[in-house]
Amino acid sequence: MRLMRHLSFNSLCFRLPDGGEKCQYALTFADGMLTLNVCSGTAREGRSMRNHITVFLLTAAVALAFGSISQAGAGVQQYWERAQQEDYKSPEELQAQHAREVRKGQFYRELMRGNPNAKSVALTFDDGPHPQFTPQILAILKKYNVKATFFVVGKMAKQYPNLIKQEAAAGHVVGNHTYDHVNLTKIPLGDISIQWQKGNDVIKRILGQPPCFCRPPGGDYDRAVITAASANGLTTVLWTDDPGDYAKPGDRVIEERVLRRIDNGGIVLIHDGIQQTIDVLPQIIEHLQKRGFKFQTVAEMTQECAETIPASKPKTPGSIPSLKIR
Ligand SMILES: [Zn+2]
């Protein structure tokens, strides 16, 4: 509506020798910066034209407003569709990458798995928050008194801050999954830190404190990605168990894959945004609880790992345990 304040409808009228009246009408924009002659005619015709133009401008303004709202909605939808097509590194690939780092003596602030001697697992939900799915996940976790970790996308968190508040209020850990959900190994070096930092800033604005954990989208990371995360105060968390729920293989398949691979210190990668995962979440939790597994957040898992790390382990400044993966 700001546009309307800068527009005016002016008229200049002449009395004709025959007693009639002729007017020139113009639309003037920004105090005469642009004048557009729109019509000429009698004063009555001018008033009618002015009404028509007012209706036209109001309609255009409303259409523009709706256009930008639906464009934002389309952007969110596109993000979720893209996120679900993401290519993930398999646990084996992550283990191989980690083994290479260890061979090179590179010990990063990263959590590959929890304590292999403890019967504990971490459920991690990526890609939210999502107004349709996050409340369902929170309700199930509450019912079973399970604490989990949510790796949230900054731009989604900004749109749904209340969901982030609910996650934190329920005792779950909120981690950074970048601001735009991009493959960090495919963007310019300088932008990597910006992604972590912007994600941190959004979470800090909502919760009052920045996150301590992050997860690179797709598990795509290299030295630059993990160093930038560390410089932003973040410990990178990967996973040991990926049932591929983003491909929607069916709730039974998701359940079977999670349970088949689960082991001590397991970190399960699932998604906030997949109904099949939600449908099968109660069964997964019940099954694991029956088998004696305890659920931890990645913060609890890291704490436990830090306590189990041998003192002789090579360390770099700010490093946390890179536990040996089987
Ligand atoms: Zn993701």
Side-chain angles (χ1 to χ4, degrees), residues 79 83 86 88 126-127 153 177 181 217-218 271:
Y79 149 73
E86 192 175 3
Y88 287 81
D126 284 15
D127 294 1
V153 175
H177 196 38
H181 201 267
H271 289 83

Side-chain angles (χ1 to χ4, degrees), residues 76 80 129-131 155-164 206:
V76 170
W80 275 312
H130 191 302
K155 64 181 176 186
M156 298 299 121
K158 195 173 166 186
Q159 292 220 25
Y160 307 106
N162 284 339
L163 292 175
I164 302 294
I206 298 168

Side-chain angles (χ1 to χ4, degrees), residues 23 40 44 52-53 56 71 79 93 99 107-108 110 135 143 147 191 208 214 216 221 247 265:
C23 299
S40 63
R44 188 198 181 98
H52 277 111
I53 287 173
F56 169 77
Q71 216 177 13
Y79 149 73
E93 285 174 294
F107 285 85
Y108 299 127
E110 61 184 0
K143 181 180 171 195
K147 304 296 178 218
D191 291 346
C214 70
Y221 78 96

Side-chain angles (χ1 to χ4, degrees), residues 110-217:
E110 61 184 0
L111 182 69
M112 305 294 295
R113 95 171 305 148
N115 183 352
N117 301 315
K119 214 160 181 191
S120 54
V121 292
L123 296 179
T124 62
F125 295 89
D126 284 15
D127 294 1
H130 191 302
Q132 184 186 343
F133 300 107
T134 311
Q136 296 184 62
I137 296 173
L138 289 174
I140 296 169
L141 296 176
K142 186 178 178 191
K143 181 180 171 195
Y144 290 95
N145 193 26
V146 167
K147 304 296 178 218
T149 304
F150 290 84
F151 287 103
V152 303
V153 175
K155 64 181 176 186
M156 298 299 121
K158 195 173 166 186
Q159 292 220 25
Y160 307 106
N162 284 339
L163 292 175
I164 302 294
K165 283 183 191 161
Q166 286 171 34
E167 289 170 356
H172 306 299
V173 165
V174 176
N176 181 343
H177 196 38
T178 72
Y179 186 81
D180 289 303
H181 201 267
V182 287
N183 180 336
L184 294 170
T185 61
K186 297 263 162 64
I187 62 173
L189 274 182
D191 291 346
I192 299 171
S193 195
I194 292 172
Q195 282 294 321
W196 291 135
Q197 194 190 316
K198 281 178 75 182
N200 274 4
D201 289 348
V202 171
I203 296 170
K204 188 180 174 187
R205 269 200 299 278
I206 298 168
L207 298 180
Q209 53 187 31
C212 301
F213 298 92
C214 70
R215 173 171 284 161

